[in-house]
């Protein structure tokens, strides 16, 4: 979001350029003048460095007729000897040197004495040389202070003159740029209509919508939708992230809210977009979380501002969060964020539509099957898909291609979720083990009737893993069956089963598989009632409200029951393992073929895999 100008040191009554002058230029000028003055001073001093001698000795020397001339300047007496030496002495400010000489019976008329009045130049120099370091120090501290406050406002001006912070954005994004969220669009169309034709609603006495809460996982298009509403209704858009409200000093957040709303009202009809609203709107104290004054004040101010809207204000607040479960109920009351729009990961059709939007303007080879990509990218958000297309374009450019190929898309899809390939050096023995491990997952998956097809197997390491087997879940499955869960656990055991069967040895590579399998097994026993312990919830009890808010309390379970639960989890996992070993042993030939091919090619797609296992 580029609605915040970077210069935040604007004080009331100053233009931003002047403010810039103040900090940097003054600092530089001070530094330069200090540098030159000290240079000047040191040059002056070079001419004047004579050894010091007490006045009493000078008097002796005069008596001995060694002295040629004397210069008196202020409290400084410089004596030049006939042999060419020079010395300086300091006299008392009150005591005149000449009268001292006269007291010592010296005929001053015979001496060459020059009395210089203190030269005004040197006075200034002395003065400045004392003053400048002080000024410099002060300037330096102010500078440090401002730096430390960073993008925040100076303590002395908080709550003021910050209208400049909220630059209105004019959005050119429309609903056409957002895909796969048709219900959300339909609900937001009403808001657009209200912003476009407020009179129509006022005439009927309809209370204007005030707040819309967009609730959904990261990257599903919350920010995009808010901008699209602004673009569609052709009104200015003021945006700020919840975390930006939070400051070091209590009270700033609230002041910013006041400011933001005032600015938006002036520009009305308009939209205020508060991103990450959970940063401020978390459930207030009275719980595990300690009370947070600043958050509370900021939140209260938002509520006050929203309550204070008059029907003529025509300002709509859109807030976004991916933690709807954390929000304070006060935010959700009627007249506040009373419209809630839930966004979720797009389904196949949604993904297809999103892919088409972002594929525009990128050259692809003719045989790209968008349907296939849409099917394969289960669980990808809109942002993931956009990112994937971008990665594919980058890969094509890097390979000096003029079009983006299916293989590049495929690679990009994997990269977006699993991280880039790592060319980790694997010895042949390591490669062989990894190949058998992954082939084991593939084979056990393939030879179980209810499992989804293997999409890809690879022994190229990515992120933390040495290899992977991709089995995207079918998109149209709404219910998880016990059969499918058990088969999934069995597939997860396939890696270790293959290692054990082929090498008679176990490796650390299967730790992640066990973790996932155990989780599923535990959920089956504790939450889904899929074990002989019966349809009882042994875990936390959920109280899921309309849109995801959850509260829970731990059930009290006896030690005896706890060990029974553990026992059942163990039974499910061990059964899965036994089945996996059986499948591996029965299909050893296919396993060998796949593993061998994996060592050769490092990566197999669905067709290559199918050919190997069905032959
Ligand atoms: P969020 O705010 O929910 O985290 P964003 O709105 O910032 O997600 O989405 C990031 C980017 O992902 C968008 O700029 C857009 O390019 C793409 N994107 C996300 N969802 C969609 C969608 N439904 N349709 C089209 N593009 C999308
Ligand atoms: Mg966002
Ligand atoms: Zn594994």
């Amino acid at each position: 979001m580029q609605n915040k100008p970077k210069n935040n040191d604007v004080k009331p009554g100053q233009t931003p350029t002047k403010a810039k002058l103040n900090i940097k230029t003054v600092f530089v000028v001070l530094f330069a003048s200090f540098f030159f003055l000290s240079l000047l001073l040191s040059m002056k001093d070079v001419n004047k460095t004579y050894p010091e001698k007490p006045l009493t000795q000078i008097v002796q020397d005069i008596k001995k007729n060694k002295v040629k001339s004397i210069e008196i300047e202020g409290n400084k007496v410089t004596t030049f000897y006939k042999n060419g030496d020079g010395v300086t002495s300091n006299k008392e400010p009150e005591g005149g040197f000449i009268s001292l000489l006269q007291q010592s019976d010296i005929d001053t008329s015979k001496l060459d004495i020059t009395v210089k009045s203190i030269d005004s130049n040197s006075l200034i120099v002395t003065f400045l040389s004392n003053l400048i370091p002080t000024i410099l120090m002060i300037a330096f501290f102010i500078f440090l202070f401002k730096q430390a406050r960073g993008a925040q406002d100076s303590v002395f001006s908080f709550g003021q003159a910050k209208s400049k912070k909220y630059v209105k954005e004019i959005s050119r994004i429309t609903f056409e740029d957002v895909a796969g969220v048709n219900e959300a669009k339909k609900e937001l169309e009403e808001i657009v209509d209200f912003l476009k034709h407020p009179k129509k609603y006022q005439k009927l006495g309809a209370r204007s919508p005030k707040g819309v809460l967009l609730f959904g996982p990261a990257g599903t298009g919350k920010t995009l939708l808010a901008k699209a509403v602004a673009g569609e209704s052709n009104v200015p858009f003021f945006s700020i992230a919840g975390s930006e409200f939070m400051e070091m000093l209590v009270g700033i957040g609230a002041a910013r809210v006041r400011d933001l709303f005032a600015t938006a009202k002036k520009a009305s009809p308009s939209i205020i977009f508060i991103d990450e609203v959970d940063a401020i709107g978390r459930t207030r104290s009275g719980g595990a979380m300690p009370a947070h004054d600043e958050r509370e004040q900021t939140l209260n101010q938002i509520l006050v501002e929203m309550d204070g809207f008059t029907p003529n204000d025509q300002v709509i607040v859109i807030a976004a969060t991916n933690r709807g479960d954390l929000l304070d109920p006060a935010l959700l009351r009627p007249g506040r964020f009373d419209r809630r729009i839930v966004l979720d990961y797009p389904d196949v059709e949604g993904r297809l539509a999103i892919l088409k939007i972002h594929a525009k303007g990128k050259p692809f080879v003719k045989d790209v099957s968008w349907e296939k990509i849409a099917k394969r990218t289960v669980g990808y958000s809109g942002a993931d898909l956009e990112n994937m297309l971008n990665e594919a374009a980058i890969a094509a450019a890097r390979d000096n291609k003029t079009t983006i190929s299916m293989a590049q898309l495929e690679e990009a899809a994997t990269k977006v979720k699993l991280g880039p390939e790592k060319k980790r050096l694997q010895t042949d023995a390591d490669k062989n083990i990894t190949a058998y491990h992954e082939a084991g997952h593939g084979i056990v998956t393939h030879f179980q009737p209810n499992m989804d097809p293997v999409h890809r197997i690879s022994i190229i390491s990515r992120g933390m893993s040495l290899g992977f087997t991709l089995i995207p879940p079918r998109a149209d499955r709404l219910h998880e069956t016990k059969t499918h869960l058990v088969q999934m656990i069995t597939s997860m055991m396939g890696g270790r089963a293959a290692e054990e069967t082929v090498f008679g040895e176990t490796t650390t590579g299967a730790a992640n598989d066990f973790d996932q399998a155990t989780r599923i097994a535990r959920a089956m026993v504790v939450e889904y009632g899929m074990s002989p312990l019966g349809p009882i919830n042994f875990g936390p009890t959920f109280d899921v409200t309309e849109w995801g808010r959850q509260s829970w309390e731990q059930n009290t379970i006896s030690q005896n029951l706890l060990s029974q639960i553990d026992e059942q989890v163990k039974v499910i996992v061990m059964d899965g393992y036994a089945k996996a070993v059986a499948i591996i042993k029965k299909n050893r030939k296919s396993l060998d073929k796949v593993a061998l091919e994996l060592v050769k090619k490092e990566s197999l797609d669905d067709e290559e895999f199918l050919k190997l296992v069905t032959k």
Side-chain angles (χ1 to χ4, degrees):
M1 268 155 284
Q2 52 287 75
N3 61 325
K4 274 183 67 195
K6 274 285 155 286
N7 179 11
N8 287 312
D9 295 298
V10 183
K11 290 201 190 99
Q14 285 176 327
T15 64
T17 19
K18 266 190 194 160
K20 243 184 217 158
L21 266 180
N22 276 347
I23 311 157
K24 282 207 180 133
T25 322
V26 168
F27 196 63
V28 169
V29 165
L30 273 175
F31 190 78
S33 50
F34 177 68
F35 181 74
F36 280 117
L37 272 170
S38 50
L39 203 72
L40 216 85
L41 280 173
S42 61
M43 270 159 54
K44 266 190 110 151
D45 279 346
V46 167
N47 300 333
K48 285 200 163 187
T49 41
Y50 296 115
E52 270 193 42
K53 222 174 188 182
L55 276 182
T56 45
Q57 290 220 3
I58 305 284
V59 174
Q60 298 304 320
D61 289 343
I62 295 173
K63 280 185 177 164
K64 286 178 194 155
N65 205 15
K66 284 184 185 168
V67 172
K68 196 175 125 216
S69 64
I70 292 170
E71 268 180 36
I72 304 172
E73 186 183 351
N75 292 334
K76 207 178 207 175
V77 179
T78 313
T79 311
F80 298 98
Y81 287 87
K82 285 178 178 160
N83 65 4
D85 289 347
V87 295
T88 60
S89 332
N90 288 313
K91 70 177 179 66
E92 300 294 311
E94 323 73 73
F97 182 54
I98 296 179
S99 55
L100 176 78
L101 293 180
Q102 284 161 350
Q103 278 164 29
S104 315
D105 296 326
I106 292 171
D107 186 357
T108 48
S109 61
K110 280 185 189 159
L111 275 169
D112 178 6
I113 298 178
T114 331
V115 180
K116 280 192 184 169
S117 63
I118 302 173
D119 123 39
S120 57
N121 259 339
S122 81
L123 242 185
I124 289 172
V125 167
T126 326
F127 177 68
L128 283 182
S129 67
N130 285 324
L131 188 66
I132 283 175
T134 319
I135 293 177
L136 207 69
M137 286 273 275
I138 294 171
F140 185 63
F141 275 114
I142 291 177
F143 181 73
L144 271 189
F145 183 67
K146 299 226 168 194
Q147 289 283 86
R149 307 258 331 146
Q152 301 156 2
D153 301 296
S154 144
V155 195
F156 308 111
S157 65
F158 68 80
Q160 301 168 19
K162 263 180 282 107
S163 47
K164 288 184 195 76
K165 289 186 77 95
Y166 308 109
V167 174
K168 60 176 163 189
E169 271 177 69
I170 303 296
S171 164
R172 281 201 200 83
I173 293 166
T174 66
F175 281 152
E176 276 187 21
D177 301 309
V178 195
V181 285
N182 292 332
E183 291 89 20
K185 276 203 254 181
K186 213 169 274 164
E187 290 206 46
L188 287 168
E189 251 153 30
E190 199 182 302
I191 306 282
V192 172
D193 196 49
F194 168 78
L195 284 168
K196 272 183 168 166
H197 315 287
K199 293 239 165 64
K200 191 167 86 184
Y201 291 83
Q202 281 162 17
K203 266 185 208 153
L204 289 169
R207 183 162 54 79
S208 60
K210 286 181 184 172
V212 180
L213 187 73
L214 299 173
F215 166 47
T220 45
K222 299 181 293 295
T223 309
L224 192 69
L225 260 178
K227 286 190 178 167
V229 172
E232 285 282 333
S233 29
N234 212 6
V235 301
F237 180 80
F238 299 85
S239 72
I240 188 157
S243 53
E244 286 174 66
F245 282 126
M246 310 315 285
E247 295 286 345
M248 274 160 29
L249 291 178
V250 171
I252 289 188
R256 289 208 171 154
V257 171
R258 260 196 305 278
D259 241 40
L260 174 62
F261 277 75
T263 315
K265 274 185 200 171
K266 252 181 246 154
S268 86
S270 61
I271 288 175
I272 293 176
F273 179 58
I274 307 178
D275 212 348
E276 314 158 24
V277 72
D278 49 288
I280 24 177
R282 286 189 180 214
T283 312
R284 282 178 284 187
S285 32
M289 243 177 294
H292 191 310
D293 272 354
E294 173 65 349
R295 176 151 50 216
E296 215 150 289
Q297 285 196 17
T298 308
L299 176 59
N300 280 338
Q301 193 61 42
I302 291 181
L303 298 179
V304 166
E305 294 288 345
M306 287 183 76
D307 288 344
F309 278 159
T310 63
N312 301 327
D313 276 338
Q314 292 168 41
V315 176
I316 286 182
V317 187
I318 301 183
T321 177
N322 44 18
R323 300 298 310 271
D325 52 325
L326 291 180
L327 285 186
D328 194 299
L331 272 175
L332 311 171
R333 231 168 270 148
R336 291 167 179 171
F337 291 99
D338 47 3
R339 311 215 165 191
R340 280 150 240 161
I341 295 176
V342 179
L343 299 179
D344 205 350
Y345 292 111
D347 58 10
V348 182
E349 275 160 44
R351 291 196 295 275
L352 191 60
I354 294 172
L355 284 170
K356 287 200 168 142
I357 288 178
H358 291 291
K360 259 179 224 152
K362 293 191 177 76
F364 290 95
V365 292
K366 283 205 188 71
D367 65 342
V368 165
S369 161
W370 292 115
E371 281 76 16
K372 195 173 169 191
I373 295 171
K375 268 191 202 143
R376 177 233 185 281
T377 45
V378 180
Y380 283 54
S381 68
D384 288 334
L385 293 173
E386 191 210 355
N387 198 359
M388 176 190 94
L389 292 177
N390 190 43
E391 288 289 345
I394 289 172
R398 197 185 45 219
D399 298 347
N400 294 319
K401 298 270 162 56
T402 50
T403 50
I404 303 166
S405 72
M406 197 67 187
Q408 277 150 349
L409 279 167
E410 179 68 33
E411 164 58 24
T414 315
K415 187 175 170 186
V416 164
K417 281 285 175 181
L418 294 177
E421 288 185 356
K422 269 194 203 149
K423 284 289 170 201
R424 208 179 288 167
L425 273 184
Q426 289 195 49
T427 62
D428 284 348
D430 274 332
K431 260 191 180 175
N432 205 27
I433 294 175
T434 312
Y436 267 100
H437 178 104
E438 297 305 334
H441 285 307
I443 294 294
V444 174
T445 304
H446 179 77
F447 288 104
Q448 292 188 96
N450 284 31
M451 284 300 291
D452 300 311
V454 172
H455 180 77
R456 194 160 160 211
I457 306 187
S458 163
I459 58 164
I460 303 168
S461 50
R462 279 173 199 272
M464 294 293 290
S465 68
L466 291 172
F468 62 88
T469 305
L470 272 184
I471 310 155
R474 240 171 41 220
D476 53 359
R477 182 185 293 114
L478 288 179
H479 281 109
E480 274 297 357
T481 59
K482 182 178 173 184
T483 316
H484 184 241
L485 289 176
V486 165
Q487 293 194 0
M488 267 166 77
I489 292 174
T490 308
S491 288
M492 285 164 190
M493 295 292 127
R496 164 59 63 85
E499 289 172 21
E500 176 90 70
T501 312
V502 176
F503 304 105
E505 174 70 289
T506 53
T507 71
T508 53
N512 187 38
D513 299 335
F514 299 158
D515 181 45
Q516 283 186 26
T518 312
R519 261 173 225 263
I520 296 177
R522 183 163 288 278
M524 285 171 68
V525 177
V526 169
E527 287 171 40
Y528 308 143
M530 291 176 177
S531 80
L533 294 183
I536 298 166
N537 183 348
F538 299 112
T541 40
F542 291 95
D543 177 11
V544 185
T545 62
E546 172 197 357
W547 52 289
R549 165 181 293 277
Q550 294 175 347
S551 60
W552 52 79
E553 51 192 64
Q554 191 65 44
N555 282 335
T556 41
I557 304 176
S558 69
Q559 287 299 317
N560 176 30
L561 202 49
L562 274 178
S563 59
Q564 285 188 53
I565 289 171
D566 289 340
E567 187 56 37
Q568 288 308 320
V569 172
K570 190 177 156 195
V571 166
I572 293 175
V573 176
M574 291 308 292
D575 271 3
Y577 184 69
K579 273 187 212 146
V581 171
I583 294 172
I584 292 285
K585 285 193 171 147
K586 195 173 155 206
N587 300 286
R588 179 63 199 264
K589 268 196 193 130
S590 300
L591 179 78
D592 288 339
K593 268 196 265 176
V594 173
L596 200 72
E597 196 72 3
L598 265 178
V599 171
K600 249 192 267 166
K601 284 193 174 167
E602 299 203 328
S603 180
L604 300 175
D605 66 17
D606 43 359
E607 283 162 20
E608 291 167 321
F609 175 77
L610 269 183
K611 245 187 243 162
L612 289 169
V613 290
T614 44
K615 240 192 288 178

